[in-house]
Amino acid sequence: FIDSTGANTLAGVVTKAGRAGVRVYIVGATPAARQILAAQGCKPPKVSILATVEAAIADIHAAEKPTRASGS
């Protein structure tokens, strides 16, 4: 559960994190919580919303892998 005050506070954290280049993941949120979060601006692409911690970890690892084009 999250109310609009909590979602608004989280939206501020997400904004500050984005300015600092930090990705934010929300994991396991119910559809109702996702709706409240979205109403406050906590939605993709500002945040990644995934069903499980394992999915979030996989997404983080995938983002860290260098691409062939980068030469790494």
Side-chain angles (χ1 to χ4, degrees), residues 2-50:
I2 190 166
D3 66 5
S4 61
T5 301
N8 189 45
T9 300
L10 188 57
V13 170
V14 167
T15 298
K16 288 179 183 178
R19 284 191 217 131
V22 176
R23 294 180 311 214
V24 175
Y25 288 82
I26 296 174
V27 177
T30 65
R34 288 194 304 266
Q35 185 177 8
I36 292 168
L37 290 165
Q40 297 299 324
C42 290
K43 57 186 175 183
K46 288 186 175 184
V47 298
S48 295
I49 301 175
L50 299 164

Side-chain angles (χ1 to χ4, degrees), residues 46-67:
K46 288 186 175 184
V47 298
S48 295
I49 301 175
L50 299 164
T52 66
V53 171
E54 292 80 8
I57 291 169
D59 190 73
I60 292 165
H61 286 301
E64 291 175 344
K65 288 184 180 177
T67 62

